[in-house]
Amino acid sequence: MPAFDKKDKSRYATFSRRALLVSGGMTAVFGILAGRLYQLQIVEGDLYKTRAEDNRINDRLLAPPRGRIIDRFGVVLASNRRNYRALLVPEQTQGGVAKTLDALAGIIQISDDDRARILKDAAQKRSFVAITVAENLSWEDFSRLSLDLLYLAGVQPDVGETRDYPFGSEFSHVLGYVASVNLEDLRSDADPLLGLPGFKIGKRGIEKILEKEIRGRAGVSRVEVNVHGRVIRELARNPSTPGEDVYLTIDRELQQFACEHLKDQSAACAVMDVETGDVLALASTPGFDPNAFNTGLSSVAWNALLEDDYTPLLNKTVSGTYFPGSTFKPVMAIAALDTGTIEPDFAVTCTGQITLGGRDFHCWKKGGHGRLDLAGALQHSCDVYFYTVALRLGIDKIETYAKRLGLGALTGIELPGEKPGLVPSPAWKQATFGRPWQQGETLNTAIGQGDLKVTPLQLCTVTARLASGKLVSPHIVHAIGGSLKSGTVAPSLGISEDVLAAVRSGMEAVTNQPGGTAYSWRITEPGFEMAGKTGTAQVRDISKQERAGGVRSNESLAWKLRDHGLFIAYAPVSKPRYACAVVIEHGAEAAHPQVQLARDVLLQAQQRDLANRPLAFPVRAASLSPQNSAETQ
Amino acid sequence: MNTRTYTGHRLYSLRDKLAEINWGFGLLVTMIASVGFAVLYSAAGGHFEPWADHQMVRFVIGLFILIAVACIDIRVWMAVAYPSYAVALLLLVAVEVAGRVGLGAQRWIELGPLALQPSELMKITMVLALARYLHGLGPDEISRPLKLLIALGWIVVPVALVLMEPNLGTASLLAVCGLCLLFLAGLSWYWIVPALVAVAVAIPTTWEFLLHDYQKQRVLTFLNPASDLLGAGWNITQAKIALGSGGAFGKGFLMGTQSRLNFLPEKETDFIFTVLGEEFGFMGSLALLALFATVLYYGIRIALSSRSHFGRILATGITINFFLYIMINGAMVMGLIPVVGIPMPLVSYGGTAMITVMFGFGLLMSVHVHRQVEVPRHASGMI
């Protein structure tokens, strides 16, 4: 008892009582604190553990390398190129971003626009986020940059990946291109990769239609981040799965050859293996530079592509529809023979026109061809002969055979944007226009005009079918990754060999008999001869007055009013292997450039023996690693 | 236990005094401070810089201050109680005036390298002054209106000044501590109960009927200055996540993700407890609370063992002050009360608080060392 005196004793008694009360209060407060800790750490501990993990863990997607696209003999048509870039991390610069940019400008070109963009990014983004200063630097610039790094604090040289199309516009329609993801892509595709900044997806061609296979699957890098989002370390990594390499049936050389010859024209050329349906060349000119889409096309350049009369963005081989003109006559011949409507020796005397329902239907040759049998009619492309046949045959049978040979429906080639074309019929006309079919329309159809519309690839398919007698369909994808996509044996077309032989002999006469419409541009190398059929698609109406005064020559008309020049062919005549269809828009000239091209293409295909040379896949696939792909280019 | 009694004015030797110091208490304080060092080391990502090393130096200085203060006779402390209170008041006025004349809202006075916070000083001097005043009152004298009014004056004046700084946290700390001392001094329940009832009625009445909405808003902002700043709620959320995610046993030393990745705000100062809670869990948090409780137990025991009323009031005053720090900081980081800037004593990084707390413990220890010293009621000419 430490009390001092009597008065203090009473004071002490009160004090100790109340000190006890205060202690009790303190104990109660500690109890509350402990209880709160129990609630937070024991009762709700798991909840907060999850939230702490959510705070610190960030899953970052790893973009897979895109699969390459390779031609039939192993030439890489689309690959990933190293993209040498210069990045800038604002917080690591000395003296600010602007000063560092000034120093950088002495080494690499930085435009005022770029400069403005970089400064804006630097102001808006967190200071540790790298900003792209320049992309696609040359090796020289990149080396100099790397040398000067010591004096450029905050600048980071970086190597990314960019899609590379070594053959540029010549494969632009087959391959398509890759470009940035747009809102529509995001809606239709839930792959989180699309959300990656700078991620590019296929927009046309093979790049688009096989996007899923070529893209690969995202990897994930699980990283720990701090409160500012800065990556502290990687916790786990699940590497991405590279996209599949795609092998095409295309032959790079043949494609380039065709493009080279057509480069000043608005034209299309398709070449097929008549036995397998392998598309060996699919050229549509003009093209565009797919590499330009990588770095972002300016709106001026884009508009120029859109407004060009030569429609460089259109893949004319599958998306361009044309009147087949006289190239439809072999189809007419097959229909007429196979239905027994006529025999090969059925003859018609052409006077230059026939009259139906008070209307004159003219032959292209003023004054007529005289008497012709089927082979002669094909050789000279006599319209009156096929008018006569058409009247006997009727539109229904024409429609049936046109479709059977591959017109009026999608060929099913692995390319986006294919058009089915149109084979008209009374039912179609009734449904579309609400009017009955006129017999005159049957005549127009017979010579490939009227409402008949075909794509160059369909024409090529028709040619391949009549040349082989098989129901071949064109395809362009040979293999995806490790699995072969082509190689199925086509069934028979179901048309007798006699019928086909009769038509083929007519087509042989076109090129190989004097007087044939394509005789001047025949293949003269023995064993490589081709058979074919010319066609001219009229894009304007010829008035009565003009016809009376003589049809104007194509060359005298404005380009847009000139006739399209068409040609279908196959070779060799002895044992057909290659089919070819060429359309040159407004190119029906006396020199028949479309026939010349088909001749050159078919000759080259045969001389290089494309169909019989061993393919890159699967035989040589094992040796085609990404390292040596550069050598094969 | 030393049963010798010391009477009159005689002072015993320094050696005796050092022997009388409760070294167990010193060890306890060192343990708590060491917890602080460890947590600061972890908060800095496993480095002594920039916090743990400074804190250690401060603690060692604090320890010497503690010992020095403990060795000074409590009669000396009684003698300097009023003068030091006066000085602290003057300094409070000085910062107030300095703030008014355009030096900005400063709370401290620069003394060379030291930044002296008069409000911190007042926490000690007010307790000293009240202890001296209450020592001079006989039993029940505190309940006389005039004496009570004077006693309240000791409290109200500094509280008002600190409130004007404005520093609500310290002001309420001072007020609660002072009122507790009046209660301990034996203030009659006849005063206490009506006062509590009056407060209980006045607050909601005023709030409901007398204040306009904009005034209410002002009061709310004043009570919780952080409420209108972006991210105050975020801070508390992150603090709760840190504590909660520690679970029962914690994530382990140096393994606290919330702290290491800077999700915790002010983790080295006001929110240091959450770093501990995250890395050592419920068990670690409880252990620190237990150490704190032991300090409080020592404090009350020392008060009860003092022969002088001055010593008792002084010891409880220091103890209650320490307790209020823990309560307010603890409740704040656990999300029980709004954010106020009160650190966790001995653990939070900070020089002023460390020195103040150690000085206070020095006084507590002085009471312990001089527990047998009799101090006359009216100590005029004591020294």
Side-chain angles (χ1 to χ4, degrees), chain A residues 35-107:
Chain A
R36 175 67 170 169
L37 283 174
Y38 181 82
Q39 185 198 0
L40 287 177
Q41 300 190 291
I42 306 294
V43 179
E44 296 171 0
D46 288 339
L47 169 80
Y48 286 114
K49 267 177 202 148
T50 315
R51 293 186 61 181
E53 291 298 277
D54 286 351
N55 264 347
R56 81 180 176 103
I57 288 176
N58 205 324
D59 285 341
R60 308 211 161 181
L61 286 181
L62 300 173
R66 259 181 109 71
R68 297 170 304 159
I69 304 175
I70 300 164
D71 94 333
R72 68 189 283 119
F73 298 125
V75 178
V76 177
L77 305 176
S79 64
N80 304 312
R81 173 169 54 84
R82 282 167 171 252
N83 172 10
Y84 297 105
R85 303 187 290 183
L87 306 179
L88 186 114
V89 183
E91 68 169 8
Q92 293 170 4
T93 58
Q94 278 167 8
V97 174
K99 209 178 146 202
T100 308
L101 283 181
D102 291 341
L104 252 181
I107 301 163

Side-chain angles (χ1 to χ4, degrees), chain A residues 135-155:
Chain A
E135 280 194 282
N136 299 307
L137 291 174
S138 69
W139 176 246
E140 288 75 28
D141 281 348
F142 192 69
S143 311
R144 273 191 288 153
L145 183 72
S146 305
L147 277 176
D148 286 347
L149 273 188
L150 267 178
Y151 314 102
L152 294 168
V155 175

Side-chain angles (χ1 to χ4, degrees), chain A residues 2 4 8 10-12 18-19 29-30 36 38 40-41 45 48-49 51 55-56 224-227 232, chain B residues 135 137 139 183 187 189 237-238 243-244 247 257-258 261-263 277 282 285 289 304 307 309 312 334 374:
Chain A
F4 173 53
D8 195 47
S10 119
R11 227 166 41 167
Y12 182 80
R18 295 204 168 174
V29 167
F30 267 61
R36 175 67 170 169
Y38 181 82
L40 287 177
Q41 300 190 291
Y48 286 114
K49 267 177 202 148
R51 293 186 61 181
N55 264 347
R56 81 180 176 103
E224 186 176 72
V225 295
N226 73 2
V227 67
I232 303 299
Chain B
H135 177 80
L137 298 180
F183 171 72
L187 183 64
W189 289 107
T237 306
Q238 293 301 335
L243 280 175
T257 57
Q258 287 284 101
L261 301 171
N262 284 326
F263 284 99
F282 184 57
S285 310
L289 284 187
L304 287 172
R307 253 179 113 85
H309 204 55
R312 285 171 215 144
M334 296 175 205
E374 293 169 4

Side-chain angles (χ1 to χ4, degrees), chain A residues 324 328 331 402-409 420 423 452 454 458-459 462:
Chain A
F328 187 65
V331 177
K403 288 187 169 168
R404 197 161 154 190
L405 283 158
L407 301 180
V423 176
L452 192 60
V454 301
Q458 282 175 336
L459 282 181
V462 169

Side-chain angles (χ1 to χ4, degrees), chain B residues 100-120:
Chain B
R100 284 280 157 83
V101 297
L103 292 177
Q106 283 200 338
R107 291 178 182 179
W108 58 85
I109 292 172
E110 305 279 351
L111 293 175
L114 282 174
L116 179 69
Q117 275 193 46
S119 57
E120 286 293 315

